């Protein structure tokens, strides 16, 4: 029993601290704990202004400040991401500010956005990563996010 638990923890640590099942192969949508779990070369990061963007990654910034995509503008954000995916098929999309987006839209609207985004990522051969901490979600909300994994 102890060996099984330690093995699971080691596999999870080796896989980049993903909150997904450590034995599950990476699918089109994965919930992860940090950017370090992203292994793709072509990445589009959706984040808040002021966050550092790793070299070689493209970024879309979400903020209520003029000049950025507003957090309530989910259709505009989706359109911008789709345009990038069409230009660069196989791009990984990393969504780093889900809690901020839920704050401005509610969980149901965010979930609809995430489902549409996952479908577009899947069709272009990419992968979608959601960077979050399970403790910030209600149990039911995180369960719904986990059901989308794979």
């Amino acid at each position: 029993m102890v060996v099984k638990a330690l093995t699971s923890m080691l596999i999870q640590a080796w896989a980049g601290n993903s909150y997904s099942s450590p034995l599950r192969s990476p699918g089109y949508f994965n919930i992860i704990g940090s950017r370090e779990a992203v292994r793709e070369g072509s990445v589009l990061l959706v984040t808040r202004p002021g966050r550092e963007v790793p070299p070689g990654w493209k970024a879309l910034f979400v903020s209520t400040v003029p000049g950025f995509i507003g957090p309530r503008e989910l259709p505009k954000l989706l359109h911008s991401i789709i345009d990038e995916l069409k230009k660069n098929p196989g791009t990984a999309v990393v969504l780093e500010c889900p809690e901020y987006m839920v704050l401005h839209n509610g969980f149901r609207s965010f979930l609809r956005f995430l489902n549409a985004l996952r479908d577009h990522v899947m069709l272009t051969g990419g992968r979608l990563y959601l960077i979050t901490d399970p403790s910030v979600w209600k149990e039911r909300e995180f369960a719904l996010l986990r059901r989308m994994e794979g």
Side-chain angles (χ1 to χ4, degrees):
M1 183 85 147
V2 173
V3 172
K4 187 175 180 181
L6 286 173
T7 304
S8 177
M9 287 175 16
L10 287 172
I11 291 171
Q12 200 166 18
W14 175 79
N17 196 20
S18 173
Y19 293 109
S20 309
S21 169
L23 300 177
R24 181 191 280 174
S25 63
Y28 293 107
F29 175 71
N30 296 288
I31 299 171
I32 57 175
S34 68
R35 292 178 180 183
E36 287 75 34
V38 180
R39 302 284 184 233
E40 284 80 5
S42 178
V43 177
L44 176 63
L45 177 66
V46 179
T47 190
R48 305 270 292 126
R51 300 274 306 176
E52 187 176 323
V53 179
W57 288 21
K58 293 182 181 179
L60 290 173
F61 295 102
V62 179
S63 176
T64 57
V65 175
F68 299 107
I69 298 174
R72 291 186 179 194
E73 298 178 288
L74 295 180
K76 182 178 179 180
L77 179 59
L78 181 62
H79 182 72
S80 298
I81 295 170
I82 292 169
D83 283 348
E84 187 61 38
L85 290 172
K86 285 180 180 177
K87 291 179 204 170
N88 301 304
T91 296
V93 177
V94 177
L95 190 57
E96 191 173 54
C97 53
E99 299 88 354
Y100 180 69
M101 295 170 72
V102 168
L103 177 68
H104 286 276
N105 297 285
F107 183 75
R108 289 182 65 179
S109 294
F110 175 73
L111 195 61
R112 282 192 295 268
F113 163 80
L114 204 55
N115 270 304
L117 179 56
R118 184 186 67 166
D119 290 348
H120 285 284
V121 167
M122 190 181 335
L123 291 172
T124 59
R127 189 170 284 150
L128 175 60
Y129 293 97
L130 185 73
I131 298 178
T132 191
D133 182 347
S135 67
V136 301
W137 302 94
K138 294 178 184 171
E139 187 177 326
R140 184 175 188 278
E141 291 172 346
F142 194 68
L144 287 169
L145 292 173
R146 291 285 310 261
R147 284 182 61 185
M148 289 179 59
E149 280 189 296

